[in-house]
Amino acid sequence: MRDGTYVHLRSAGTSLVLDCTGSGLPWVVHWGEDLGELSRDALAALARAEVPQIASNNVGTVVPAALLPEHSAGWLGTPGLSGHRAGADFSTAFAVTSLQTAARSLTVIAEDVRAELELRVEVELTDSGLVRQRATVSSRAAADAAPFTLSGVLLTLPVPERATELLDMTGRHLRERTPQRHEFTLGTHLRENRKGRTGTDAATVHVAGERGFGFRSGEVWGLHVAWSGNQRSLAERTHAGVSLLGGGELLLAGELDLGAEESYTTPWVYGSYGRNGLDELAGRFHTHLRGRERHPSTPRPVTLNVWEAVYFDHDLGKLTELADLAAEVGAERFVLDDGWFRGRRDDHAGLGDWYVDEGVWPEGLHPLTRHVRGLGIEFGLWVEPEMVNPNSDLARAHPEWIMATGDRMPPESRQQQVLDLGHPGAYDYILERLDAIVTEYELTYLKWDHNRDLVEAGHSPTGRAGVHAQTRAVYRLLDTLRSRHPRLEIESCSSGGGRVDLGILERTDRVWTSDCIDALERQQIQRWTGLLLPPELMGAHVGAPTAHTTGRTHALGFRAGTALFGHFGIEWDLTRATAEDRAALAEWIALYKTLRPLLHTGDVVRGDHPDTALWTHGVVARDRSRAVYALVQVATSAVSPPGRVALPGLDPEATYRVAPLPPGDRLAGSRAETLPWWGEGVTLPGRALATVGVRAPIQWPERLVLIEAVRV
């Protein structure tokens, strides 16, 4: 609601209070726990109580951090808008001309008459309690005026002084989403990404919180930039006592010049609040994603991807045998990975030549698709439309379609360069090829890969920076393809988990969480990807006993139990699996099919266990009638037997029957018979299970067991 010049937005336990008094841009008085209904007088008093004194040797006025902070208002931190018009107008001074309010949103229109700019800021509170905001900057200069060179737009949200610790992610290929924590000190903690994609080392969610916050405790505030190209996020604390989180697109030099009546709209910047830890913060993102119009509504099919089974060696006999075995164990989708198109016998050639290789597939892919669909299994295909091998017919015919600075080629990565989708000819070619392939083979699934960072990504022949245009073109390509093929699902893969953000997920149906499917590595990767994504959007596959990427060997129960808490699939040459292994895999697949209505709609919970060698995580039904937990031994513990583990998220007033869940109940060599409750189960109130917990069984390292709690 809006009451006078104060706006109070409320949703799902979150309040956002904005002070819109005066002519300057609004500032946030409070973002956090729901304050309940407040009168205009109470809102005014709250704002007045937040105004600080003027300290010595500062500007002679109060300088609150606006949604878009301005240097002209006395803000000496990172500016909200950076740019100039032929060297002038480097410091904007926007005056509000209009405020438009709705039940849970505010739109601010402001202008800087001197700089001839208009600013539109949209602020919303979503159904799940997320704050999201974006801005549009428009040039209102005459046609003969110099363009406004826009360098960046930063949207911010304040956090209170008690947020003294920061958490964000780093990582690399095969080890995405590695958490790092440190003090929230004076100054700026800046995370910039110049890779042209979200990045395997992306901050993902930039979190500030109370010291020692965990998954189930401590007050936290987090920010996410919903953009798949270059981006930045920061946590900033000034000596004047202002603390904030901010983010936006990172624009390269000269990338955006706004001519007369031209505009730029930022990506959405999301803020999530958790009164009781990271699970609550993550849950708001999960609920928001599940509420999307195009969120997958059908059960997430068990997916067999053949990459690690055949690599580039495509043979119809081998592939049909894999399909037969996939059907035997219960797979529901078959994905033919890299190697199906012209000249693609290894990764040195062929990217860009999106025609089925007649030498390998003389009848096209039809014999394989007929066989797969005859088994009742969907058929999908791998593509990498944004890339091109220099050794390809496409690159030889159109060298001007390769992103470059104009007089030199960027260094190659994986023997490939980047196709400039900002070039109309390149865009039209890729759209035509993808549309033709999807149509001919009636595809329902594309694994859309993106296997290199963008280096010196310019438009040829001018060399002008082109990452912004490239990202927009990719979005437009995905949107167009899906509008032509409404049943088509698309996976966002980018060297594994290199493009995981809410911008790409407006257009895709899951992400390939990592190229590493070593179950031990995946425990951490999935744990922290879950800070943003719910399980059904995370591709999680069962690999071979010995991992392709690390050389580690794991038992099937650990591999399958890890994959269970995602969008389950198989990345294993089943022709090399024993009949016993395939039978055991079929058990796990049957369990996944039984549990996916719970796993893909329930609340994700993670325990804050004091022993770092023992992790607890699970999913609790929204009505709290049922839950499934994994107790994961990720390393050798300093103590044996292990202590108690709490089972979080249950209804404290309800009573639950807790017991091991087959086939995740097998404890090889652990003497489980000496743990009384393990064999018999136990019935306890939810409050006791969340506080006292149950004794964990002894496990070997790199093992997990499953526990089910059912309300009685």
Side-chain angles (χ1 to χ4, degrees), residues 116-136:
E116 299 181 286
L117 294 175
E118 182 181 272
L119 176 69
R120 176 188 179 94
V121 180
E122 302 166 71
V123 186
E124 300 178 0
L125 204 54
T126 70
D127 290 344
S128 68
L130 291 175
V131 179
R132 70 173 190 170
Q133 51 182 329
R134 66 181 176 185
T136 299

Side-chain angles (χ1 to χ4, degrees), residues 392-520:
S392 66
D393 293 341
L394 180 65
R396 284 184 284 271
H398 293 285
E400 75 279 10
W401 290 359
I402 297 176
M403 298 199 84
T405 57
D407 63 350
R408 62 180 179 270
M409 283 288 109
E412 289 184 11
S413 175
R414 294 173 59 101
Q415 296 81 47
Q416 62 193 51
Q417 296 285 7
V418 182
L419 194 65
D420 184 4
L421 294 179
H423 190 292
Y427 179 92
D428 290 344
Y429 165 77
I430 291 296
L431 176 58
E432 185 278 328
R433 282 289 78 223
L434 293 179
D435 186 34
I437 292 163
V438 172
T439 299
E440 179 177 358
Y441 294 105
E442 300 178 347
L443 300 179
T444 56
Y445 188 79
L446 285 179
K447 179 178 179 179
W448 187 297
D449 214 338
H450 178 282
N451 270 317
R452 66 156 293 170
D453 296 331
L454 275 61
V455 180
E456 289 200 314
H459 295 300
S460 182
T462 65
R464 190 182 183 96
V467 173
H468 172 79
Q470 180 80 355
T471 308
R472 287 291 180 198
V474 171
Y475 285 175
R476 190 168 71 253
L477 181 61
L478 288 163
D479 291 342
T480 302
L481 196 62
R482 291 187 64 151
S483 69
R484 294 183 183 183
H485 304 277
R487 294 178 59 246
L488 181 67
E489 292 190 6
I490 299 176
E491 174 182 81
S492 172
C493 177
S494 187
S495 310
R499 190 150 64 182
V500 177
D501 63 82
L502 298 192
I504 202 69
L505 278 162
E506 286 296 318
R507 299 156 173 89
T508 54
D509 302 280
R510 79 168 199 169
V511 302
W512 182 227
T513 320
S514 177
D515 282 344
C516 180
I517 50 176
D518 177 320
L520 182 62

Side-chain angles (χ1 to χ4, degrees), residues 663-682:
D665 59 341
R666 296 165 189 169
L667 290 163
S670 69
R671 299 187 64 199
E673 70 276 3
T674 66
L675 186 64
W677 83 265
W678 189 258
E680 302 170 7
V682 65

Side-chain angles (χ1 to χ4, degrees), residues 337-385:
D337 210 288
D338 199 352
W340 57 269
F341 47 97
R342 285 180 183 168
R344 191 65 168 176
R345 305 282 58 80
D346 54 37
D347 65 359
H348 288 69
L351 276 180
D353 297 340
W354 299 110
Y355 297 86
V356 175
D357 192 319
E358 301 88 340
V360 179
W361 299 98
E363 298 179 61
L365 299 177
H366 295 292
L368 180 59
T369 61
R370 283 195 298 268
H371 185 87
V372 169
R373 291 184 177 125
L375 297 167
I377 298 176
E378 293 182 36
F379 185 85
L381 205 56
W382 178 95
V383 293
E384 193 175 3

Side-chain angles (χ1 to χ4, degrees), residues 639-664:
V639 300
S640 183
R644 293 185 296 268
V645 291
L647 303 181
L650 300 171
D651 182 347
E653 307 304 324
T655 300
Y656 294 86
R657 174 71 174 169
V658 178
L661 180 62

